[in-house]
């Protein structure tokens, strides 16, 4: 027999079921808000709470604000007054996301709640009477440690010996001897590296290892290898600097390096330890090896000497030329020390060969000298020569005392071994003979021109007061200019010219006939000829100046 339950019994059963559900939920850490009958959304947002005990994560099916603030769980919650609805409809999930952060709590514990709303509303969170809701929290994430910036926490890098750029540590090396020094600093929190900064713009010849701190090398120059180094020791976090000056001392003296100059300045001679005489023209940048120094009887030249080691380093300390002594194998020659120029002035008396020896610093060097007689007044002492090549380059050449100088179109000049020319070229030579006083001797027509190559064509041009030379063959050529038994030479280097490729003439056109050399028309020669005249005048003037100074 079926009996229906009374309404009182059904109500008591429903309340008992609700209490049982809430109690079970609390036991498994599920929030009491799951029993709220008014919440029907199915969304599952996650809220994070931060307090003094760590960060907690809880699951909620709605959003609400408690009396203690958003997401607060401290203390007991009010008992639920609403029974759960077993048949609550499930609304569609909301599409908007609320990212507005809640206002910070003023209580001791601060919680942050970020949730995705499935509906709107604010109310008290239902819970079982007298049953606190424990917060579900994950283990606290430790803060990432930061490197301490406190200098006391690190070991500083230091050097044992103090130094500065004005007062560096001095290390000494010797020219020609291997040198090595290891730099060692103290401290640091790891392996040290050594950075080398030489205070020099030249190649010092030194090498270094940044890992080991070794500076090494075999210096040969007391000038370029003497360097101030700035050495930085570093562990890549902190560093210290040491200043060290490497001073290179000369090796043992081997001989005297000589600089020799005549009073007229026509040449400068240099003699090194091998005894070879180098002759150069001031301003020309040339360097010619000669067997002996050519001077005239009664001429005075100056010898300046320095004792040097095998690498050319000065051995005698000091900045000025030290006092040296000189001797000559010709007893009639006079040798006097000149304090003003720190040199030995040697005046030659009598013609012939002799040897002059200069001593300084316990070593000496000897120089061969050839003394010639002074030409009589009115006789030829030399030639001033200008050459205009036919290559159209714009370069011009001057010959004085057998030295060939190229004067480029850009204004520069240099000493060359020979005047360049091409096979078939026709060059112009303008020459003037002068005596010992610098006065002209005779005319250009009095000069005799000969060539070392018989096929060369030599033609005198009375209108231009010049001589034309045409080179038929490619080879070295030497043109000799002579007058009154005195002569000088002009070297030429004649190169072949490639024959032009044969072409088939076009009907109705004319075929030019090859001339074998550039035709001289006399046109537009005022510029080059004027230049040649100027060069000739300058050459003669220079020769006069040199001769007159030599006789003074």
């Amino acid at each position: 027999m079926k009996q229906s339950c009374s309404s009182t019994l059904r109500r008591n059963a429903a309340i008992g079921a609700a209490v049982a559900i809430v109690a079970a939920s609390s036991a498994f850490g599920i929030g009491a808000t799951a029993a709220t009958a008014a919440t029907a959304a199915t969304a599952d947002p996650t809220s994070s709470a931060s307090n003094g005990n760590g960060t907690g994560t809880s699951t909620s099916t709605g959003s609400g604000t408690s009396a203690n603030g958003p997401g607060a769980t401290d203390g007991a919650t009010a008992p639920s007054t609403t029974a759960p609805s077993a048949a609550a409809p499930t609304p569609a999930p909301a599409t908007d996301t609320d990212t507005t952060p809640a206002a910070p709590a003023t209580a001791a514990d601060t919680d942050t709640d970020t949730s995705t709303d499935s509906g709107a509303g604010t109310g008290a969170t239902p819970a079982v009477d007298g049953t606190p809701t424990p917060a579900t929290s994950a283990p606290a994430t430790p803060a990432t440690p930061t490197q301490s910036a406190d200098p006391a926490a690190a070991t500083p890098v230091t050097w044992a010996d103090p130094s500065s750029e004005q007062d560096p540590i001095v290390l000494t090396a010797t020219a020609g001897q291997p040198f090595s020094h290891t730099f060692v600093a103290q401290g640091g929190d790891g392996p040290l590296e050594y950075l080398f900064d030489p205070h020099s713009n030249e190649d010092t010849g030194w090498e270094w290892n940044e890992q080991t701190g070794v500076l090494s090398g075999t210096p040969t120059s007391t000038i370029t290898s003497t360097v101030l180094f700035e050495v930085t020791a570093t562990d890549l976090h902190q560093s210290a600097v040491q200043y060290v000056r490497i001073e290179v001392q000369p090796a043992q003296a081997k001989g005297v390096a000589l600089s020799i100059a005549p009073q007229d300045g026509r040449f400068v001679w240099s003699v090194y330890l091998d005894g070879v005489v180098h002759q150069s023209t001031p301003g020309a940048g040339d360097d010619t090896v000669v067997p002996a120094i050519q001077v005239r009887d009664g001429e005075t030249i100056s010898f300046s000497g320095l004792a040097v080691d095998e690498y050319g380093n000065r051995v005698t300390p000091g900045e000025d030329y030290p006092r040296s002594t000189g001797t000559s194998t010709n007893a009639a020659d006079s040798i006097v020390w000149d304090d003003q120029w720190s040199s030995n002035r040697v005046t030659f008396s009598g013609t012939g060969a002799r040897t002059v020896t200069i001593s300084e610093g316990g070593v000496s060097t000897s120089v061969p000298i050839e003394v010639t007689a002074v030409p009589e007044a009115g006789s030829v002492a030399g030639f001033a020569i200008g050459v205009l090549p036919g290559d159209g380059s714009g370069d011009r050449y001057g010959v004085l005392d057998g030295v060939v100088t190229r004067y480029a179109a850009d204004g520069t000049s240099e000493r060359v071994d020979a005047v360049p020319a091409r096979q078939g070229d026709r060059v112009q030579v303008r020459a003037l003979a002068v005596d010992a006083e610098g006065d002209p001797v005779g005319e250009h027509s009095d000069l005799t021109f000969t060539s070392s190559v018989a096929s060369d064509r030599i033609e005198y041009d009375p209108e231009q007061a010049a001589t034309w030379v045409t080179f038929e063959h490619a080879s070295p050529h030497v043109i000799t200019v002579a007058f009154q038994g005195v002569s000088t030479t002009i070297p030429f280097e004649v190169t072949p010219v490639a024959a032009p490729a044969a072409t088939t003439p076009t009907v109705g056109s004319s075929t030019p006939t090859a001339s074998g050399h550039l035709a001289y028309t006399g046109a537009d020669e005022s510029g080059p000829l004027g230049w040649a005249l100027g060069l000739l005048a300058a050459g003669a003037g220079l020769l006069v100046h040199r001769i007159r100074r030599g006789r003074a």
Side-chain angles (χ1 to χ4, degrees):
M1 172 177 160
K2 294 181 180 179
Q3 290 184 341
S4 61
C5 298
S6 65
S7 59
T8 303
L9 179 60
R10 289 194 299 270
R11 183 171 62 251
N12 292 336
I15 294 173
V19 171
I21 292 173
V22 173
S25 300
S26 300
F28 288 93
I30 302 174
T33 57
T36 305
T39 304
T42 60
D44 186 20
T46 302
S47 63
S48 300
S50 175
N51 53 33
N53 296 325
T55 302
T57 304
S58 63
T59 304
S60 175
T61 59
S63 61
T65 303
S66 68
N68 294 328
T73 57
D74 295 342
T77 60
S80 175
T81 58
T82 305
S85 174
T90 303
T95 59
D96 61 330
T97 303
D98 184 10
T99 59
T100 303
T106 59
D109 294 335
T110 302
D111 302 328
T112 302
D113 183 8
T114 304
S115 62
T116 303
D117 295 340
S118 60
T122 302
T125 302
V128 179
D129 295 345
T131 304
T133 303
T136 303
S137 61
T141 302
T144 302
T146 58
Q147 186 175 357
S148 174
D150 184 5
T155 304
V157 178
T158 60
W159 294 94
D161 299 320
S163 64
S164 66
E165 188 171 2
Q166 293 72 29
D167 187 19
I169 297 172
V170 177
L171 302 177
T172 303
T174 301
Q177 299 296 322
F179 174 88
S180 178
H181 178 78
T182 302
F183 291 86
V184 179
Q186 294 77 38
D189 292 333
L192 296 179
E193 292 185 1
Y194 298 87
L195 309 180
F196 291 80
D197 180 15
H199 289 198
S200 174
N201 295 325
E202 300 183 29
D203 183 8
T204 64
W206 294 108
E207 298 178 352
W208 51 83
N209 188 311
E210 295 184 349
Q211 304 300 320
T212 62
V214 175
L215 176 69
S216 61
T218 303
T220 57
S221 172
T222 59
I223 298 175
T224 60
S225 296
T226 296
V227 186
L228 174 66
F229 279 93
E230 182 178 335
V231 184
T232 302
T234 177
D235 62 359
L236 303 183
H237 297 287
Q238 50 193 344
S239 60
V241 176
Q242 185 176 74
Y243 292 92
V244 176
R245 179 177 175 84
I246 309 296
E247 292 188 353
V248 180
Q249 303 297 327
Q252 184 179 0
K254 291 293 185 179
V256 177
L258 295 174
S259 177
I260 307 167
Q263 290 182 312
D264 60 9
R266 64 184 182 274
F267 294 120
V268 173
W269 297 280
S270 300
V271 183
Y272 302 104
L273 302 184
D274 55 6
V276 176
V277 180
H278 296 260
Q279 177 178 289
S280 61
T281 305
D286 60 313
D287 186 0
T288 304
V289 174
V290 296
I293 294 178
Q294 298 283 341
V295 298
R296 292 189 174 94
D297 187 15
E299 184 176 2
T300 299
I301 61 176
S302 299
F303 291 75
S304 299
L306 282 176
V308 296
D309 62 12
E310 60 181 305
Y311 306 102
N313 298 307
R314 174 176 177 167
V315 175
T316 305
E319 297 182 358
D320 298 329
Y321 268 76
R323 187 184 184 96
S324 57
T325 59
T327 59
S328 174
T329 55
N330 184 356
D333 295 341
S334 171
I335 302 177
V336 179
W337 174 256
D338 186 343
D339 286 325
Q340 180 180 0
W341 300 103
S342 298
S343 63
N344 286 283
R345 291 169 55 89
V346 181
T347 302
F348 299 96
S349 178
T351 60
R354 75 280 315 276
T355 300
V356 173
T357 301
I358 303 298
S359 302
E360 194 271 314
V363 290
S364 61
T365 295
S366 298
V367 183
I369 307 293
E370 183 69 32
V371 182
T372 60
V374 178
E376 297 180 1
S379 61
V380 176
F383 299 87
I385 300 173
V387 180
L388 284 75
D391 58 4
S393 64
D395 295 344
R396 301 295 181 261
Y397 296 83
V399 183
L400 186 64
D401 290 343
V403 177
V404 180
T405 303
R406 169 181 170 267
Y407 297 90
D410 61 4
T412 60
S413 63
E414 63 175 342
R415 193 264 186 191
V416 296
D417 294 331
V419 178
R422 300 171 301 181
Q423 183 179 2
D425 276 357
R426 188 171 184 251
V427 302
Q428 186 187 78
V429 180
R430 302 179 66 86
L432 178 67
V434 294
D435 63 12
E437 298 298 328
D439 298 324
V441 178
E443 303 292 339
H444 179 85
S445 58
D446 297 328
L447 306 181
T448 301
F449 288 77
T450 58
S451 175
S452 61
V453 178
S455 60
D456 290 347
R457 298 202 309 269
I458 301 175
E459 308 166 72
Y460 170 66
D461 186 346
E463 294 184 0
Q464 301 291 339
T467 297
W468 295 91
V469 180
T470 303
F471 303 103
E472 297 291 348
H473 297 287
S475 63
H477 296 238
V478 177
I479 301 298
T480 301
V481 182
F483 184 45
Q484 291 185 356
V486 180
S487 65
T488 188
T489 58
I490 311 171
F492 288 88
E493 184 64 37
V494 182
T495 56
V497 176
T503 59
T504 302
T506 304
V507 176
S509 65
S510 61
T511 303
T513 302
S515 64
H517 59 83
L518 298 178
Y520 176 69
T521 63
D524 297 329
E525 288 298 323
S526 59
L529 290 180
W531 180 93
L533 288 172
L535 175 64
L536 183 59
L542 180 60
L543 182 60
V544 169
H545 173 70
R546 289 176 176 175
I547 293 175
R548 287 177 175 173
R549 287 190 60 187
R551 293 175 58 87

